[in-house]
Coordinates of all heavy atoms in Angstrom, one line a residue:
M364 N 37.7 36.5 -36.1 CA 38.6 35.6 -35.5 C 39.3 34.7 -36.6 O 38.6 34.2 -37.5 CB 37.8 34.6 -34.6 CG 38.6 33.6 -33.9 SD 37.6 32.8 -32.7 CE 38.1 31.1 -33.0
T365 N 40.6 34.6 -36.5 CA 41.3 33.7 -37.5 C 41.7 32.4 -36.9 O 41.9 32.3 -35.7 CB 42.5 34.5 -38.1 OG1 43.4 34.7 -37.0 CG2 42.2 35.8 -38.8
K366 N 41.8 31.5 -37.8 CA 42.2 30.1 -37.4 C 43.7 30.0 -37.7 O 44.2 30.6 -38.6 CB 41.4 29.1 -38.2 CG 41.9 27.7 -38.1 CD 41.1 26.9 -39.1 CE 41.9 25.7 -39.5 NZ 41.4 24.9 -40.5
N367 N 44.5 29.3 -36.9 CA 45.9 29.1 -37.1 C 46.1 27.8 -37.9 O 45.4 26.8 -37.7 CB 46.7 29.1 -35.8 CG 47.0 30.4 -35.3 OD1 46.6 31.4 -35.9 ND2 47.7 30.5 -34.2
I368 N 47.1 27.8 -38.8 CA 47.5 26.7 -39.6 C 48.8 26.2 -39.0 O 49.7 27.0 -38.9 CB 47.7 27.0 -41.1 CG1 46.4 27.6 -41.7 CG2 48.1 25.7 -41.8 CD1 46.6 28.1 -43.1
E369 N 48.8 24.9 -38.6 CA 50.1 24.3 -38.1 C 50.6 23.4 -39.2 O 49.9 22.6 -39.7 CB 49.9 23.5 -36.8 CG 49.5 24.4 -35.7 CD 49.3 23.6 -34.4 OE1 50.2 22.8 -34.1 OE2 48.2 23.7 -33.8
F370 N 51.9 23.6 -39.6 CA 52.4 22.8 -40.6 C 53.9 22.6 -40.4 O 54.5 23.3 -39.6 CB 52.2 23.4 -42.0 CG 52.9 24.7 -42.3 CD1 54.1 24.7 -42.9 CD2 52.2 25.9 -41.9 CE1 54.7 26.0 -43.1 CE2 52.8 27.1 -42.2 CZ 54.1 27.1 -42.8
I371 N 54.4 21.6 -41.0 CA 55.8 21.2 -40.9 C 56.5 21.4 -42.2 O 55.9 21.1 -43.3 CB 56.0 19.7 -40.5 CG1 55.3 19.5 -39.1 CG2 57.4 19.3 -40.5 CD1 55.3 18.0 -38.7
T372 N 57.7 22.0 -42.2 CA 58.4 22.1 -43.5 C 59.6 21.2 -43.4 O 60.3 21.1 -42.4 CB 58.9 23.6 -43.6 OG1 57.8 24.5 -43.5 CG2 59.6 23.8 -45.0
F373 N 59.9 20.5 -44.5 CA 61.0 19.7 -44.6 C 61.9 20.3 -45.7 O 61.4 20.5 -46.9 CB 60.7 18.2 -45.0 CG 61.9 17.4 -45.4 CD1 62.7 16.9 -44.4 CD2 62.2 17.1 -46.7 CE1 63.8 16.1 -44.7 CE2 63.3 16.3 -47.0 CZ 64.1 15.9 -46.0
Y374 N 63.2 20.5 -45.4 CA 64.1 21.1 -46.4 C 65.2 20.1 -46.6 O 65.8 19.4 -45.7 CB 64.8 22.3 -45.8 CG 63.9 23.5 -45.5 CD1 63.4 23.7 -44.2 CD2 63.6 24.4 -46.5 CE1 62.6 24.8 -44.0 CE2 62.8 25.5 -46.3 CZ 62.3 25.7 -45.0 OH 61.5 26.8 -44.7
D375 N 65.6 19.9 -47.9 CA 66.8 19.2 -48.2 C 67.4 19.9 -49.4 O 67.2 19.5 -50.6 CB 66.5 17.7 -48.4 CG 67.8 16.9 -48.4 OD1 68.9 17.4 -48.2 OD2 67.7 15.7 -48.8
L376 N 68.1 21.0 -49.2 CA 68.7 21.8 -50.3 C 70.2 22.0 -50.1 O 70.6 22.7 -49.3 CB 68.0 23.2 -50.3 CG 66.5 23.2 -50.4 CD1 65.9 24.5 -50.0 CD2 66.0 22.7 -51.8
D377 N 70.9 21.2 -50.9 CA 72.4 21.3 -50.8 C 73.0 22.6 -51.0 O 73.8 23.1 -50.3 CB 73.0 20.3 -51.8 CG 73.0 18.9 -51.2 OD1 73.0 18.7 -50.0 OD2 73.1 17.9 -52.0
R378 N 72.6 23.3 -52.1 CA 73.2 24.6 -52.4 C 72.9 25.6 -51.3 O 73.8 26.5 -51.1 CB 72.6 25.1 -53.7 CG 73.1 26.4 -54.3 CD 74.4 26.3 -54.9 NE 74.8 27.3 -55.8 CZ 75.1 28.5 -55.5 NH1 75.1 28.9 -54.2 NH2 75.5 29.4 -56.4
E379 N 71.8 25.6 -50.6 CA 71.5 26.5 -49.6 C 71.9 26.0 -48.2 O 71.7 26.7 -47.2 CB 70.0 26.9 -49.6 CG 69.6 27.6 -50.8 CD 68.1 27.9 -50.8 OE1 67.6 28.2 -49.7 OE2 67.5 27.9 -51.9
N380 N 72.5 24.8 -48.2 CA 72.8 24.2 -46.9 C 71.7 24.2 -45.9 O 71.9 24.5 -44.7 CB 74.1 24.8 -46.3 CG 74.7 23.9 -45.3 OD1 74.6 22.7 -45.3 ND2 75.5 24.5 -44.4
K381 N 70.5 23.8 -46.4 CA 69.3 23.8 -45.5 C 68.8 22.4 -45.5 O 68.4 21.8 -46.5 CB 68.3 24.7 -46.1 CG 67.6 25.6 -45.2 CD 66.7 26.6 -45.9 CE 65.9 27.4 -44.8 NZ 65.0 28.3 -45.4
H382 N 68.8 21.8 -44.3 CA 68.3 20.4 -44.1 C 67.5 20.3 -42.9 O 67.8 20.9 -41.9 CB 69.6 19.5 -44.1 CG 70.5 19.7 -45.2 ND1 70.3 19.1 -46.5 CD2 71.7 20.4 -45.3 CE1 71.3 19.5 -47.3 NE2 72.1 20.3 -46.6
G383 N 66.6 19.4 -42.9 CA 65.8 19.1 -41.7 C 64.4 19.6 -41.7 O 63.9 20.0 -42.7
F384 N 63.9 19.6 -40.4 CA 62.4 20.0 -40.2 C 62.3 21.3 -39.5 O 63.2 21.6 -38.6 CB 61.8 18.9 -39.4 CG 61.6 17.6 -40.1 CD1 62.7 16.6 -40.1 CD2 60.5 17.3 -40.9 CE1 62.6 15.5 -40.7 CE2 60.4 16.1 -41.6 CZ 61.4 15.2 -41.5
S385 N 61.3 22.0 -39.7 CA 60.9 23.2 -38.9 C 59.4 23.2 -38.9 O 58.7 22.5 -39.6 CB 61.4 24.5 -39.5 OG 60.8 24.8 -40.7
S386 N 58.8 24.0 -38.0 CA 57.4 24.0 -37.8 C 56.9 25.4 -37.7 O 57.6 26.3 -37.1 CB 57.0 23.2 -36.5 OG 55.6 23.2 -36.4
K387 N 55.7 25.6 -38.2 CA 55.2 27.0 -38.1 C 53.7 26.9 -37.6 O 53.0 25.9 -37.8 CB 55.1 27.7 -39.5 CG 56.5 27.8 -40.1 CD 57.2 29.0 -39.6 CE 58.4 29.3 -40.4 NZ 59.4 30.1 -39.8
D388 N 53.3 28.0 -37.1 CA 51.9 28.2 -36.7 C 51.5 29.6 -37.1 O 51.9 30.5 -36.5 CB 51.8 28.0 -35.1 CG 50.4 28.1 -34.6 OD1 49.5 28.1 -35.4 OD2 50.3 28.1 -33.4
I389 N 50.8 29.6 -38.2 CA 50.5 30.9 -38.8 C 49.0 31.2 -38.8 O 48.2 30.3 -39.0 CB 51.1 31.1 -40.2 CG1 50.5 30.1 -41.1 CG2 52.6 31.1 -40.2 CD1 50.8 30.3 -42.6
P390 N 48.6 32.5 -38.7 CA 47.1 32.8 -38.8 C 46.7 32.6 -40.3 O 47.4 32.9 -41.2 CB 47.0 34.2 -38.4 CG 48.4 34.8 -38.5 CD 49.4 33.6 -38.4
A391 N 45.5 32.0 -40.4 CA 44.9 31.8 -41.7 C 43.9 33.0 -42.0 O 43.0 33.2 -41.3 CB 44.2 30.5 -41.8
N392 N 44.2 33.7 -43.1 CA 43.4 34.8 -43.5 C 43.5 35.0 -45.0 O 44.2 34.2 -45.7 CB 43.6 36.1 -42.7 CG 45.1 36.5 -42.8 OD1 45.6 36.6 -43.9 ND2 45.7 36.9 -41.6
E393 N 42.9 36.1 -45.5 CA 43.0 36.3 -46.9 C 44.4 36.6 -47.4 O 44.6 36.6 -48.6 CB 42.0 37.5 -47.3 CG 42.4 38.9 -46.8 CD 42.0 39.1 -45.4 OE1 41.3 38.3 -44.8 OE2 42.5 40.1 -44.8
R394 N 45.3 36.9 -46.6 CA 46.7 37.1 -47.0 C 47.6 35.9 -46.8 O 48.8 36.0 -47.2 CB 47.3 38.3 -46.2 CG 46.5 39.6 -46.4 CD 47.1 40.7 -45.5 NE 48.5 40.9 -45.6 CZ 49.1 41.7 -46.4 NH1 48.4 42.4 -47.3 NH2 50.4 41.7 -46.4
T395 N 47.1 34.8 -46.4 CA 47.8 33.6 -46.2 C 48.1 33.0 -47.5 O 47.3 32.8 -48.4 CB 47.1 32.6 -45.3 OG1 46.8 33.2 -44.1 CG2 47.9 31.3 -45.0
L396 N 49.4 32.6 -47.8 CA 49.8 31.9 -49.0 C 50.5 30.6 -48.7 O 51.5 30.6 -47.9 CB 50.8 32.9 -49.8 CG 51.4 32.2 -51.0 CD1 50.3 32.0 -52.1 CD2 52.5 33.1 -51.6
I397 N 49.9 29.6 -49.2 CA 50.6 28.3 -49.1 C 51.1 27.9 -50.4 O 50.4 28.0 -51.4 CB 49.6 27.2 -48.6 CG1 49.0 27.5 -47.2 CG2 50.2 25.8 -48.6 CD1 50.0 27.4 -46.1
L398 N 52.4 27.6 -50.5 CA 53.1 27.4 -51.7 C 52.5 26.1 -52.4 O 52.5 25.0 -51.7 CB 54.6 27.2 -51.5 CG 55.5 27.3 -52.6 CD1 55.4 28.7 -53.3 CD2 57.0 27.1 -52.1
K399 N 52.1 26.2 -53.6 CA 51.5 25.0 -54.3 C 52.6 24.1 -54.7 O 53.8 24.5 -54.9 CB 50.7 25.5 -55.4 CG 51.4 26.0 -56.6 CD 50.5 26.4 -57.7 CE 51.3 26.9 -59.0 NZ 50.4 27.1 -60.1
E400 N 52.2 22.8 -55.0 CA 53.1 21.8 -55.5 C 53.6 22.3 -56.9 O 52.8 22.6 -57.7 CB 52.5 20.5 -55.6 CG 52.4 19.7 -54.3 CD 52.3 18.2 -54.5 OE1 51.9 17.8 -55.6 OE2 52.6 17.5 -53.6
Q401 N 54.9 22.2 -57.1 CA 55.5 22.6 -58.4 C 56.9 22.4 -58.4 O 57.5 22.0 -57.4 CB 55.2 24.1 -58.6 CG 55.9 25.0 -57.5 CD 55.5 26.5 -57.7 OE1 55.7 27.0 -58.7 NE2 54.9 27.1 -56.7
I402 N 57.5 22.5 -59.6 CA 59.0 22.5 -59.7 C 59.3 23.9 -60.1 O 58.9 24.5 -61.1 CB 59.4 21.5 -60.8 CG1 59.0 20.1 -60.4 CG2 60.9 21.6 -61.0 CD1 59.2 19.1 -61.5
I403 N 60.1 24.6 -59.3 CA 60.6 26.0 -59.6 C 61.9 25.8 -60.3 O 62.9 25.3 -59.8 CB 60.8 26.7 -58.3 CG1 59.4 26.8 -57.5 CG2 61.3 28.2 -58.6 CD1 59.5 27.4 -56.1
P404 N 62.0 26.3 -61.5 CA 63.2 26.2 -62.3 C 64.4 26.9 -61.6 O 64.2 28.0 -61.1 CB 62.9 26.8 -63.6 CG 61.4 26.8 -63.7 CD 60.9 26.9 -62.3
G405 N 65.5 26.3 -61.7 CA 66.7 26.8 -61.0 C 67.2 28.0 -61.9 O 67.0 28.1 -63.1
A406 N 68.0 28.9 -61.2 CA 68.6 30.1 -61.9 C 69.8 30.5 -61.0 O 69.9 30.1 -59.9 CB 67.6 31.2 -62.0
F407 N 70.7 31.2 -61.7 CA 71.9 31.7 -61.0 C 72.7 30.7 -60.3 O 73.2 30.9 -59.2 CB 71.5 32.8 -60.0 CG 70.6 33.9 -60.6 CD1 69.3 34.0 -60.3 CD2 71.2 34.8 -61.5 CE1 68.5 35.0 -60.9 CE2 70.4 35.8 -62.1 CZ 69.1 35.9 -61.7
G408 N 72.8 29.5 -61.0 CA 73.6 28.4 -60.4 C 72.8 27.5 -59.4 O 73.4 26.5 -58.9
Y409 N 71.6 27.8 -59.1 CA 70.8 27.0 -58.2 C 70.1 25.9 -59.0 O 69.6 26.1 -60.1 CB 69.8 27.8 -57.5 CG 70.4 28.6 -56.4 CD1 70.8 29.9 -56.6 CD2 70.5 28.2 -55.1 CE1 71.4 30.7 -55.6 CE2 71.0 28.9 -54.1 CZ 71.5 30.2 -54.4 OH 72.0 31.0 -53.4
P410 N 70.0 24.7 -58.5 CA 69.2 23.6 -59.2 C 67.7 23.9 -59.1 O 67.3 24.8 -58.3 CB 69.6 22.4 -58.4 CG 69.9 22.8 -57.0 CD 70.5 24.2 -57.2
D411 N 66.9 23.1 -59.8 CA 65.5 23.2 -59.7 C 65.1 22.9 -58.3 O 65.8 22.1 -57.6 CB 64.8 22.1 -60.6 CG 65.0 22.4 -62.1 OD1 65.4 23.5 -62.4 OD2 64.8 21.5 -62.9
M412 N 64.0 23.5 -57.8 CA 63.5 23.2 -56.4 C 62.1 22.5 -56.6 O 61.3 23.0 -57.3 CB 63.3 24.4 -55.6 CG 62.8 24.1 -54.2 SD 62.5 25.6 -53.2 CE 64.1 26.3 -53.1
Y413 N 62.0 21.3 -56.0 CA 60.8 20.5 -56.0 C 60.0 20.8 -54.7 O 60.5 20.6 -53.6 CB 61.1 19.1 -56.1 CG 61.8 18.6 -57.3 CD1 63.2 18.9 -57.5 CD2 61.1 18.1 -58.4 CE1 63.8 18.5 -58.7 CE2 61.7 17.7 -59.6 CZ 63.1 17.9 -59.7 OH 63.7 17.5 -60.9
I414 N 58.8 21.3 -54.9 CA 57.8 21.6 -53.8 C 56.8 20.4 -53.8 O 56.1 20.3 -54.8 CB 57.1 22.9 -53.9 CG1 58.1 24.1 -54.2 CG2 56.3 23.2 -52.7 CD1 59.1 24.3 -53.1
R415 N 56.7 19.7 -52.8 CA 55.8 18.6 -52.7 C 55.1 18.7 -51.3 O 55.6 19.1 -50.4 CB 56.5 17.2 -52.8 CG 57.1 17.0 -54.1 CD 56.1 16.8 -55.2 NE 56.7 16.7 -56.5 CZ 56.6 17.5 -57.5 NH1 55.9 18.6 -57.4 NH2 57.1 17.3 -58.6
H416 N 53.8 18.3 -51.3 CA 53.0 18.3 -50.1 C 52.7 16.8 -49.7 O 52.5 15.9 -50.5 CB 51.6 18.9 -50.4 CG 51.7 20.4 -50.8 ND1 50.7 21.1 -51.1 CD2 52.8 21.2 -50.8 CE1 51.0 22.4 -51.4 NE2 52.4 22.4 -51.2
M417 N 52.7 16.6 -48.4 CA 52.4 15.4 -47.8 C 51.5 15.7 -46.5 O 51.4 16.8 -46.1 CB 53.7 14.6 -47.4 CG 54.6 14.3 -48.5 SD 56.3 13.8 -48.1 CE 56.0 12.5 -47.0
K418 N 50.9 14.6 -46.0 CA 50.0 14.8 -44.8 C 50.5 13.8 -43.7 O 50.8 12.7 -44.0 CB 48.6 14.6 -45.1 CG 48.0 15.7 -46.0 CD 46.5 15.5 -46.2 CE 46.0 16.5 -47.2 NZ 44.6 16.3 -47.6
L419 N 50.4 14.2 -42.5 CA 50.7 13.4 -41.4 C 49.6 13.5 -40.3 O 49.3 14.7 -40.0 CB 52.0 13.7 -40.8 CG 52.4 13.0 -39.5 CD1 52.5 11.5 -39.7 CD2 53.7 13.6 -38.9
R420 N 49.0 12.5 -39.9 CA 48.1 12.5 -38.7 C 48.9 12.1 -37.5 O 49.4 11.0 -37.4 CB 47.0 11.5 -38.9 CG 46.0 11.5 -37.8 CD 44.8 12.4 -38.1 NE 43.8 12.3 -37.0 CZ 43.1 13.3 -36.7 NH1 43.2 14.4 -37.3 NH2 42.2 13.2 -35.7
Y421 N 49.0 13.0 -36.5 CA 49.8 12.7 -35.3 C 49.0 13.1 -34.1 O 48.6 14.2 -34.0 CB 51.1 13.5 -35.3 CG 52.0 13.2 -34.1 CD1 52.8 12.1 -34.1 CD2 52.0 14.1 -33.0 CE1 53.6 11.8 -33.0 CE2 52.8 13.9 -31.9 CZ 53.6 12.7 -31.9 OH 54.4 12.5 -30.8
G422 N 48.6 12.1 -33.3 CA 47.7 12.4 -32.2 C 46.3 12.7 -32.8 O 45.9 12.0 -33.6
N423 N 45.8 13.8 -32.4 CA 44.5 14.2 -32.9 C 44.6 15.3 -33.9 O 43.6 16.0 -34.2 CB 43.6 14.6 -31.7 CG 43.2 13.5 -30.8 OD1 43.1 12.4 -31.3 ND2 43.1 13.8 -29.5
Q424 N 45.8 15.5 -34.4 CA 46.0 16.7 -35.2 C 46.5 16.2 -36.6 O 47.4 15.3 -36.7 CB 47.1 17.6 -34.6 CG 47.6 18.7 -35.4 CD 46.7 19.9 -35.3 OE1 46.0 20.2 -34.3 NE2 46.6 20.7 -36.4
D425 N 46.1 16.9 -37.7 CA 46.6 16.7 -39.0 C 47.6 17.7 -39.3 O 47.4 18.9 -39.0 CB 45.5 16.8 -40.1 CG 44.5 15.6 -40.0 OD1 45.0 14.5 -39.8 OD2 43.3 15.9 -40.2
Y426 N 48.8 17.3 -39.8 CA 49.8 18.2 -40.1 C 50.2 18.1 -41.6 O 50.6 17.1 -42.1 CB 51.1 17.9 -39.3 CG 51.0 18.1 -37.9 CD1 50.6 17.1 -37.0 CD2 51.4 19.4 -37.3 CE1 50.5 17.3 -35.7 CE2 51.3 19.6 -36.0 CZ 50.8 18.6 -35.1 OH 50.7 18.8 -33.8
P427 N 50.0 19.2 -42.4 CA 50.5 19.2 -43.7 C 52.1 19.3 -43.6 O 52.6 20.0 -42.7 CB 50.0 20.5 -44.3 CG 49.0 21.0 -43.4 CD 49.2 20.4 -42.1
I428 N 52.7 18.6 -44.5 CA 54.2 18.7 -44.6 C 54.5 19.3 -46.0 O 54.1 18.7 -47.0 CB 54.9 17.3 -44.4 CG1 54.5 16.7 -43.1 CG2 56.4 17.4 -44.5 CD1 55.0 15.2 -43.0
I429 N 55.2 20.4 -46.0 CA 55.6 21.0 -47.2 C 57.1 20.7 -47.4 O 57.9 21.1 -46.6 CB 55.4 22.6 -47.2 CG1 53.9 22.8 -46.9 CG2 55.9 23.2 -48.5 CD1 53.6 24.3 -46.6
C430 N 57.4 19.9 -48.5 CA 58.8 19.5 -48.7 C 59.4 20.3 -49.8 O 58.8 20.6 -50.8 CB 58.8 18.0 -49.2 SG 58.0 16.9 -48.0
M431 N 60.6 20.9 -49.5 CA 61.4 21.6 -50.5 C 62.7 20.9 -50.7 O 63.5 20.9 -49.7 CB 61.6 23.0 -50.0 CG 60.3 23.8 -49.8 SD 60.7 25.5 -49.3 CE 59.3 25.8 -48.3
T432 N 62.9 20.3 -51.8 CA 64.1 19.6 -52.1 C 64.7 19.9 -53.5 O 64.0 20.5 -54.3 CB 63.8 18.0 -52.1 OG1 62.9 17.7 -53.1 CG2 63.3 17.6 -50.8
D433 N 65.9 19.6 -53.7 CA 66.5 19.8 -55.0 C 66.5 18.5 -55.8 O 67.4 18.4 -56.7 CB 67.8 20.5 -54.9 CG 68.8 19.8 -54.0 OD1 68.6 18.7 -53.6 OD2 69.8 20.5 -53.6
Y434 N 65.6 17.6 -55.5 CA 65.5 16.4 -56.3 C 64.0 15.9 -56.1 O 63.3 16.3 -55.2 CB 66.4 15.3 -55.7 CG 66.3 15.1 -54.2 CD1 65.4 14.2 -53.7 CD2 67.1 15.8 -53.4 CE1 65.3 14.0 -52.3 CE2 67.0 15.7 -52.0 CZ 66.1 14.8 -51.5 OH 66.0 14.6 -50.1
E435 N 63.6 15.0 -57.1 CA 62.3 14.4 -57.0 C 62.2 13.4 -55.9 O 63.2 12.7 -55.7 CB 62.0 13.8 -58.4 CG 60.6 13.2 -58.5 CD 59.5 14.3 -58.5 OE1 59.6 15.2 -59.3 OE2 58.6 14.2 -57.6
L436 N 61.1 13.4 -55.2 CA 60.9 12.5 -54.1 C 60.4 11.1 -54.6 O 59.5 11.1 -55.4 CB 59.9 13.0 -53.1 CG 60.2 14.3 -52.4 CD1 59.1 14.7 -51.4 CD2 61.5 14.2 -51.6
D437 N 61.1 10.0 -54.2 CA 60.6 8.7 -54.5 C 59.8 8.2 -53.2 O 59.8 8.9 -52.2 CB 61.7 7.8 -54.9 CG 62.7 7.5 -53.9 OD1 62.5 7.8 -52.7 OD2 63.8 6.9 -54.2
E438 N 59.2 7.0 -53.3 CA 58.4 6.5 -52.3 C 59.2 6.2 -51.0 O 58.8 6.5 -49.9 CB 57.7 5.2 -52.7 CG 56.4 5.0 -52.0 CD 55.4 6.2 -51.9 OE1 55.2 6.9 -53.0 OE2 54.8 6.4 -50.8
V439 N 60.4 5.8 -51.1 CA 61.3 5.5 -50.0 C 61.6 6.8 -49.3 O 61.5 6.9 -48.0 CB 62.6 4.9 -50.4 CG1 63.6 4.8 -49.3 CG2 62.3 3.5 -51.0
K440 N 61.9 7.9 -50.0 CA 62.2 9.2 -49.4 C 61.0 9.7 -48.7 O 61.1 10.3 -47.6 CB 62.8 10.2 -50.4 CG 63.3 11.4 -49.8 CD 64.4 11.2 -48.8 CE 65.0 12.4 -48.2 NZ 66.1 12.2 -47.3
R441 N 59.8 9.6 -49.3 CA 58.6 10.0 -48.7 C 58.3 9.4 -47.3 O 58.0 10.0 -46.3 CB 57.4 9.7 -49.6 CG 57.3 10.6 -50.8 CD 56.1 10.2 -51.7 NE 56.1 10.9 -52.9 CZ 55.5 12.1 -53.1 NH1 54.8 12.6 -52.2 NH2 55.6 12.7 -54.3
L442 N 58.6 8.0 -47.2 CA 58.5 7.3 -45.9 C 59.5 7.8 -44.9 O 59.2 8.0 -43.7 CB 58.6 5.8 -46.2 CG 57.4 5.2 -46.9 CD1 57.7 3.7 -47.3 CD2 56.1 5.3 -46.2
E443 N 60.7 8.1 -45.4 CA 61.8 8.7 -44.5 C 61.3 10.0 -43.9 O 61.5 10.3 -42.8 CB 63.1 8.8 -45.3 CG 63.8 7.6 -45.5 CD 65.1 7.8 -46.3 OE1 65.6 9.0 -46.4 OE2 65.6 6.8 -46.9
I444 N 60.7 10.8 -44.8 CA 60.3 12.2 -44.3 C 59.2 12.0 -43.3 O 59.2 12.7 -42.3 CB 59.8 13.0 -45.5 CG1 61.0 13.3 -46.4 CG2 59.1 14.3 -45.1 CD1 60.7 13.9 -47.8
I445 N 58.2 11.1 -43.5 CA 57.1 10.9 -42.6 C 57.7 10.4 -41.2 O 57.3 11.0 -40.2 CB 56.1 9.9 -43.1 CG1 55.4 10.5 -44.3 CG2 55.1 9.4 -42.0 CD1 54.4 11.6 -44.0
A446 N 58.6 9.5 -41.3 CA 59.2 9.0 -40.1 C 60.0 10.1 -39.3 O 59.9 10.2 -38.1 CB 60.2 7.8 -40.4
G447 N 60.7 10.9 -40.1 CA 61.4 12.0 -39.5 C 60.5 13.1 -38.9 O 60.8 13.7 -37.9
A448 N 59.3 13.3 -39.5 CA 58.3 14.3 -39.0 C 57.8 13.8 -37.7 O 57.6 14.6 -36.8 CB 57.2 14.5 -40.0
V449 N 57.5 12.5 -37.6 CA 57.1 11.9 -36.3 C 58.1 12.1 -35.2 O 57.8 12.6 -34.1 CB 56.7 10.4 -36.5 CG1 56.5 9.8 -35.1 CG2 55.5 10.2 -37.4
K450 N 59.4 11.9 -35.5 CA 60.4 12.1 -34.5 C 60.5 13.5 -34.1 O 60.7 13.9 -33.0 CB 61.8 11.6 -35.0 CG 62.0 10.1 -35.0 CD 63.4 9.8 -35.5 CE 63.6 8.3 -35.5 NZ 64.9 7.9 -35.9
F451 N 60.4 14.4 -35.1 CA 60.4 15.9 -34.9 C 59.3 16.3 -33.9 O 59.5 17.0 -33.0 CB 60.3 16.6 -36.3 CG 60.2 18.1 -36.1 CD1 61.3 18.9 -35.9 CD2 59.0 18.7 -36.3 CE1 61.2 20.2 -35.8 CE2 58.9 20.1 -36.2 CZ 60.0 20.9 -35.9
L452 N 58.1 15.8 -34.2 CA 56.9 16.1 -33.3 C 57.1 15.5 -31.9 O 56.8 16.2 -30.9 CB 55.6 15.6 -33.9 CG 55.2 16.4 -35.2 CD1 54.0 15.7 -35.9 CD2 54.8 17.8 -34.8
E453 N 57.6 14.3 -31.9 CA 57.9 13.7 -30.5 C 58.8 14.5 -29.7 O 58.7 14.7 -28.5 CB 58.4 12.3 -30.7 CG 57.3 11.3 -31.1 CD 57.9 9.9 -31.5 OE1 59.1 9.8 -31.6 OE2 57.1 9.0 -31.6
G454 N 59.9 15.1 -30.4 CA 60.9 15.9 -29.7 C 60.4 17.3 -29.3 O 61.0 17.9 -28.5
S455 N 59.3 17.7 -30.0 CA 58.8 19.1 -29.7 C 57.8 19.2 -28.6 O 57.3 20.2 -28.2 CB 58.2 19.7 -31.0 OG 57.0 19.0 -31.3
G456 N 57.4 18.0 -28.0 CA 56.5 17.9 -26.9 C 55.1 18.1 -27.3 O 54.2 18.5 -26.5
V457 N 54.7 17.9 -28.5 CA 53.3 18.1 -29.0 C 52.5 17.0 -28.4 O 52.9 15.8 -28.4 CB 53.3 18.1 -30.5 CG1 51.8 18.1 -31.0 CG2 54.0 19.3 -31.1

């Protein structure tokens, strides 16, 4: 029996025109890969991509938030992302 991982992804990538939140529910097993925190160097005209992890407790559930941005997150932006994730979850009927 596998356990499912529920997580939220936040995108803010100008070059790829990808913005906002999405949610996934994936099975956790030996083939599951969670992208680690890192800066992926840009190539082919793309800027560096910053991968950052955050956590949100909403209701009785913990949600990891995986942030993919083309800039470093400051504390203000982190708070904006958390607030946006709460609105996203409220709108999803969770």
Side-chain angles (χ1 to χ4, degrees):
M364 181 173 137
T365 61
K366 169 184 153 188
N367 279 2
I368 302 173
E369 293 181 52
F370 64 95
I371 298 170
T372 306
F373 172 76
Y374 296 98
D375 195 6
L376 301 168
D377 278 337
R378 179 80 158 71
E379 294 180 36
N380 196 26
K381 225 174 172 181
H382 307 282
F384 294 88
S385 65
S386 182
K387 299 279 187 197
D388 183 6
I389 61 170
N392 56 45
E393 67 279 352
R394 296 176 53 92
T395 303
L396 173 67
I397 298 293
L398 200 57
K399 70 178 183 175
E400 280 204 337
Q401 61 186 303
I402 300 171
I403 300 172
F407 306 108
Y409 286 89
D411 294 347
M412 182 184 297
Y413 294 79
I414 309 298
R415 296 293 177 244
H416 296 176
M417 298 165 57
K418 291 182 184 175
L419 171 65
R420 178 100 176 144
Y421 182 81
N423 294 326
Q424 175 82 31
D425 288 322
Y426 292 91
I428 302 172
I429 301 169
C430 302
M431 296 184 214
T432 61
D433 50 17
Y434 53 87
E435 184 64 58
L436 298 180
D437 62 15
E438 207 51 43
V439 171
K440 188 63 180 180
R441 288 176 187 270
L442 293 173
E443 285 178 16
I444 292 169
I445 293 289
V449 169
K450 283 185 181 179
F451 175 77
L452 289 170
E453 287 173 346
S455 69
V457 174

